[in-house]
Structures are given as C-alpha cells and as structure tokens.
Amino acid sequence: MREIAVVAYSQSPCVADAGATNEVELIMPQLQAVYSQLGLASAQDVDFVCSGSCDYLQGAAFAFVAGVDALGAVPPIKESHVEMDAAWALYEAILKIRMGHADSALIYGFGKSSPGELPIVLSQRLDPYYLAPLWLDTVSLAALQARLLLEQGLLTEHDMAAVVARSRHNALANPLAQLAGEFSVEELLAEEHFVAPLRRADCSPVSDGAAAMVIATVEQARAWGAPYARITGIDHRIENHNPCLRDLTDSVSTRQAAAAAGVHRGPVDVAEVYAPFSHQEILLSRALELAPETLVNPGGGVLAGNLMMASGLARVGEVFRRIINGEAGRGVAHATSGPCLQHNLVAVLEGA
Amino acid sequence: MSEPQADVTVVKSPVYLKYRFTAGSAPARFLGRLKEGVLTGQRCPRCSNVYIPARGSCPACGVPTEKEVVLSDKGTVQSFTIVSIPIPGNPIEPPYIVANIVPDGANISFIHLLSECVNEEVHIGQRVQALWKPAAEWGYSMDNIRYFRPLDEPDVAVDRIGKLPVTGLES
Ligand SMILES: [Zn+2]
C-alpha cells in the first residue's frame, strides 16, 4: 500500500464571530498558508481537492460551492466535497491516493456557525421523523449522556471540571484558542448549571474559522522537501442514528476505529480528541485506551474553540504539528460527527 | 374501550431556522458603494479580470481580490430571455426581459431587467444603460437600478462582449 503523509497544515484562530467575512474569505488565508509551506502557487499544483462543510451552519444554500471560489479552478480541477467535518474529506483524499488516482491532495474545512443558533441548527441532523421534530438540541443530548455517566458512577462533575480546567490552562499556550485561562476545579464547579448536569464551560464554544491541509505520497512529500508525518492508520465507524439505541456511556465505534487504525501497535505520545463536551473527553480517552502518560489535547482541544466542520481535520493537523516540531514521535487524532459521538474517525500519525 | 382511531398518515413538522446572514467583506464594500449609486468590481491581481459583485477572490486564479474598481452603468447584453409566465409573488407583469449584462470595465455579467425596449428586437451585443431610482430610495440593493434600457450605440461584436474598458465604446 502507498504510504501517505501530511505535509502542510494551517488553521485560523477560533473566533466567536468572524463578522462580515464570508466563507471564501475565511478559507483563502489558510489555503495561502499551506501553499507557502510547500512553495505551491494554487490548487492547480495538487492532484485532488476535497472539502468539508455544512450549508446549514451559515444558512446559505450552496455555501460549499461558493467555497470553491477560493481554489483557482481554471483550468478545471478534480474536486469533491463532504457535508461533514473535513476529517472525512481527508479520508476521501486518502482513498483517492491509495487507489493511485492522485499523488497529492488539498483538504480544507470551514464553518461559520455564528449566524445561526448552533445547537438548534444541529438538531436538524437527527432523524427527520422522530427526533428532529422535537428540536432536540445538541447540548441537551450531551447532557443526557453526561447524566447517564454520572448516574452509573463512571465519572463525577469534579472529573468534568478537571477536564475544563486543563483545557483552559493548555489553551494559554495556543494562540488560535478562543477560551483560555487559569481556573480551579472549585471555581468551575461554583458556576451554575447550563443544561444540567452540564455547565457552560463543559460545552465547547461556538466558533467561526477554517483549516487546510495538504497530504501526499511519501515520495511526493520528499520531492517537496518539507517536513512530514506519515499517516500509518485511519478508520471510521458509525453507530445507530437513534441515541436511544446506543450505549451512550461508551463509544463502540471509536474502539472499533482505533483497533482498525492500529492505535495500540505502539506508544501514543499525544492524542488530539474531538470532544465537544467535557465528559466526552473522558469517555473517548477510555475508548481509545490511552495510557496515563499520553498527552491529551495539549492545545486545549475543542473546549477552547470548536470550528464545526474543521475541528476534526484540525485534530489531525495538531498531531502533525507536534510530530514535525519534534514534540511527539507517534500520535492519535480523533474526529467525531453526529449527536453524542455517533460517528468516529481515528487516525494514527508517525514521524518520518 | 376507546374508539378505534384512523391511521396517522401525515405529520406536519415545519422547520424554521433563524440566521443573521452576512454577505462578506468584499460584498459589503460593493453594497456600500451601490447605496451611493456607484457600481464597483474587484480586479484580480494575477489575471486582471474584474468581477462584479466581487466575493473577495478570483475564482479562476484562487487569489484574493482586494482592489475596488469603479465601473460604468453602461453595459452590453451578453444573453437574455423573455419571461412570459408570471412568477408567484413577482409584481412584474409578463412578458418582460431578464438579461445578463456586462457593465463597461467588468469581465463578468450580472442579471437585471431590461425595459423600454421592443422585446422582439433585443439582441446579444446590444448596448444598454441603467435607469436608477431617485437617490432618496437607494439602499444596499441592485434594486437601486429600476432596469436597464437600450442605448443608441453600435452593437458590440460577440468576441468583444465582456472586454470593454470602463470608457465603453469611446476608447
Ligand atoms: Zn484571476
């Protein structure tokens, strides 16, 4: 099988409101950043382009097509899109390269969530007959999941607050983070519940922004001469769309994806886990069977800033960055989609 | 015992989502000048094409377009259609003409109405000019232009449509 590597990555700051900026204007600076890391002129210099976004976020029909204006698609390019987090655009691009249809690919994800009410907007991805008509929002669903974990004694509100405190602390060293600071567990627990048992700080913020990445065969990566990290495993699994038909206290799909991606074939120095709610970081760390010495979300994770449709790709990008900076030799990136961690992707990255 | 009930075959579940839509930085600048009665485009620094309304990038080159360019309100018909069927909610009485019009100084057309013309005589390459509403009615909208109407100027050859400078045929 062809070896594939991440060769360039860039992410915008997570901001609560990107103001007048449209999707093209959000994407372009990130594309220019990855081009400059490799000395590319435009998307014409890669074999394939795949993006991840969701038109429901900004409430603009065909916003994903408008995003193509950022690419420079004359003469025509090979381009695709997933109505999902761009981590799945990465997955599509990897398949394309593995099949020999491309040697390199540009992947980008973008989300402008501020124009709508995100938890309500996301309720419309539930099944349209039973759950979507109830307007069951994502925070309430996550609260049900946290309640199950608490009632079964699998974690405490103190554990959840400790996740938040660590995220806010780690985010102090992350210039792209939206929320950072020093908070004690006691301070966090003193805050009132938002949707019990969740406090506001247990929920990732609503953020606007974009991320871009270039991947290539290891041969192409060497030809470009840029530092790279090999993607040695990737897999994704999905569970039932009805949260009532799943064990919400575990993530079977994450366990399966982790096994298939080969997470446990070596030590994990760093893990970037896409946990939009504090209790989910604990749940996912267990499902990934991470060792105590593994650094989890050293940049604060998505509790410090959550770029819908780009955060999953950003988890892979963060592991890439740590590896090429020499901070880690082997890392795991996780992305999620759907209510209460319905759909999970796990990737393993290793140094060159 | 309760009465047997008929099967439920339809459930109504309307979807309403509220958004605070923003056009984008480049479109916002375009709309700002439009409110002053000025059509502007943006020039690509790489291929020099001028786009109206600009979205902030050259879709052909994939580079940011940052320079505003003032355009003429005179233009050329690139294509058109005669609408004969009433559209619900549209106050305009058919038959009327919807045209792709390239303003002088730009390389891409926008869609607007064409009026004060003999519908059967409208043709590709025809010269037209905007009829603006009174300035007091101007807002952030292309409706500031009531419609375009024919100009008494020679036609533009098909291969020159979308390539005229802002000075039009005079140059
Ligand atoms: Zn251009």
Side-chain angles (χ1 to χ4, degrees), chain A residues 24 28 31-32 35 40-45 67-77 106, chain B residues 42-51 56-65:
Chain A
V24 178
M28 264 191 306
L31 298 187
Q32 298 298 335
Y35 297 158
L40 309 181
S42 74
Q44 298 287 342
D45 293 340
V68 175
D69 281 0
L71 295 175
V74 176
I77 58 174
L106 168 69
Chain B
Q42 280 191 338
R43 190 186 304 281
C44 172
R46 199 172 287 178
C47 71
S48 298
N49 273 326
V50 173
Y51 295 95
S57 80
C58 172
C61 302
V63 297
T65 50

Side-chain angles (χ1 to χ4, degrees), chain A residues 20 24-25 56 66 69 72-73 112 115, chain B residues 19-20 22 24-26 55 57 59 62:
Chain A
V24 178
E25 292 164 336
Y56 273 69
D69 281 0
K112 194 174 177 189
Chain B
Y19 293 95
R20 194 173 43 82
T22 48
S25 303
R55 287 179 39 76
S57 80

Side-chain angles (χ1 to χ4, degrees), chain B residues 91-129:
Chain B
I92 307 168
E93 286 280 315
Y96 60 91
I97 294 199
V98 172
N100 278 103
I101 294 161
V102 193
D104 295 346
N107 303 105
I108 196 166
S109 62
F110 55 74
I111 293 174
H112 216 297
L113 298 168
L114 186 50
S115 199
E116 287 187 37
C117 54
V118 179
N119 287 358
E120 288 66 30
E121 292 175 4
V122 170
H123 53 275
I124 287 171
Q126 188 170 8
R127 296 286 290 155
V128 294
Q129 184 167 18

Side-chain angles (χ1 to χ4, degrees), chain B residues 72-76 102-104 127-130 148 151 153 170:
Chain B
S72 172
D73 70 350
K74 291 182 182 176
T76 308
V102 193
D104 295 346
R127 296 286 290 155
V128 294
Q129 184 167 18
F148 282 77
L151 262 182
E153 285 187 6
E170 288 158 29

